[in-house]
Amino acid sequence: MTIRVVLADDQALLRSAFRVLVDSEPDMQVVGEAADGAEVVTVVHETLPDVVLMDIRMPGTDGLAATRAITADPALSAVHVVMLTTFEVDEYVVQSLRAGASGFLGKGAEPEELLGAIRIAAAGEALLSPAATKGLITTFLAQGGSWEAGEEDLRRHGERLAALTVREREVLVQVAGGHSNDEIAERLSVSPLTVKTHVNRAMAKLSARDRAQLVVIAYESGLVRPRVD
């Protein structure tokens, strides 16, 4: 199966470099490019890619607005957005996750990291490692950020959380803490396969695209309260 990729970046030279890299892989193909957020939404509708590499800062409609437009469209539910950012942990990264991105990657990443990120996102997995989750939460909060959501978000997420079983809630708390499936399995004395099953069920019930979105929902709903150790 070929992974279809759309590139969104206002720098033509960078897009060209990404295209050469992606098209060099036998299991990947660049099916479209865009120089701004408005254009990428149109391109995504036309090409229906598996993954969009989205620059977070673009002129006009930025990557955040474009990501919200893509993830809010039911017709594009199979499209996964990987946000590209100069700074791997900053307020924009948090905003991108809340907008529906599957994860983020620094522009300084090695070629193999970029290709790996595309494959991870295409598979529906979270492009947000346990270490990255912990670092994201800790660093963002240390900079004075907030995960607080509005009353409507709290109500909406609260209704969805009510559909979770006790065990699924326990697993969700562990996921939000940045723990891997193996770590969660050890903590809860179950098998990693059981944890994966609970994670998948929680994702379905909460309408989360991937693990990264579970982290956001856990904090926005108030199920987990962030703290800096």
Side-chain angles (χ1 to χ4, degrees):
M1 176 181 173
T2 300
I3 300 173
R4 296 163 56 81
V5 181
V6 163
L7 307 175
D9 196 295
D10 61 319
Q11 299 182 47
L13 186 59
L14 193 56
R15 292 201 311 275
S16 296
F18 284 157
R19 176 180 279 275
V20 171
L21 178 63
V22 172
D23 282 343
S24 69
E25 295 298 296
D27 61 336
M28 297 183 190
Q29 177 186 7
V30 173
V31 295
E33 296 185 21
D36 61 56
E39 183 181 6
V40 72
V41 174
T42 298
V43 171
V44 167
H45 274 284
E46 293 174 345
T47 61
L48 297 177
D50 299 298
V51 178
V52 179
L53 290 182
M54 181 87 74
D55 184 14
I56 200 166
R57 297 184 181 94
M58 290 184 287
T61 303
D62 64 14
L64 291 172
T67 298
R68 292 189 191 98
I70 291 170
T71 58
D73 191 335
L76 303 178
S77 60
V79 179
H80 300 281
V81 177
V82 175
M83 199 69 75
L84 298 175
T85 176
T86 304
F87 304 100
E88 294 192 25
V89 178
D90 61 9
E91 182 176 354
Y92 291 102
V93 171
V94 176
Q95 291 181 26
S96 71
L97 295 178
R98 294 181 71 173
S102 297
F104 62 94
L105 193 68
K107 284 190 174 182
E110 295 294 325
E112 287 306 313
E113 289 183 271
L114 178 65
L115 296 173
I118 293 173
R119 293 188 176 97
I120 290 172
E125 299 293 334
L127 185 59
L128 197 62
S129 68
T133 304
K134 294 173 183 176
L136 175 65
I137 295 168
T138 301
T139 303
F140 180 58
L141 291 174
Q143 293 174 346
S146 172
W147 283 82
E148 292 300 320
E151 291 185 7
E152 178 60 25
D153 287 323
L154 291 173
R155 183 194 63 76
R156 176 167 50 85
H157 290 319
E159 290 176 351
R160 290 179 178 176
L161 287 178
L164 300 183
T165 64
V166 172
R167 180 60 89 182
E168 287 165 356
R169 280 175 174 254
E170 291 176 339
V171 170
L172 178 55
V173 169
Q174 296 297 320
V175 169
H179 302 293
S180 67
N181 284 357
D182 287 343
E183 290 173 335
I184 296 172
E186 184 175 351
R187 284 167 168 257
L188 300 182
S189 299
V190 296
S191 71
L193 180 59
T194 297
V195 172
K196 183 177 181 180
T197 297
H198 287 311
V199 169
N200 289 339
R201 287 176 178 170
M203 285 172 55
K205 291 179 179 179
L206 297 175
S207 299
R209 286 173 171 246
D210 50 39
R211 200 181 188 98
Q213 297 308 301
L214 285 181
V215 174
V216 174
I217 291 172
Y219 281 94
E220 286 193 331
S221 66
L223 178 65
V224 176
R225 295 293 182 183
R227 62 186 178 86
V228 179
D229 295 326

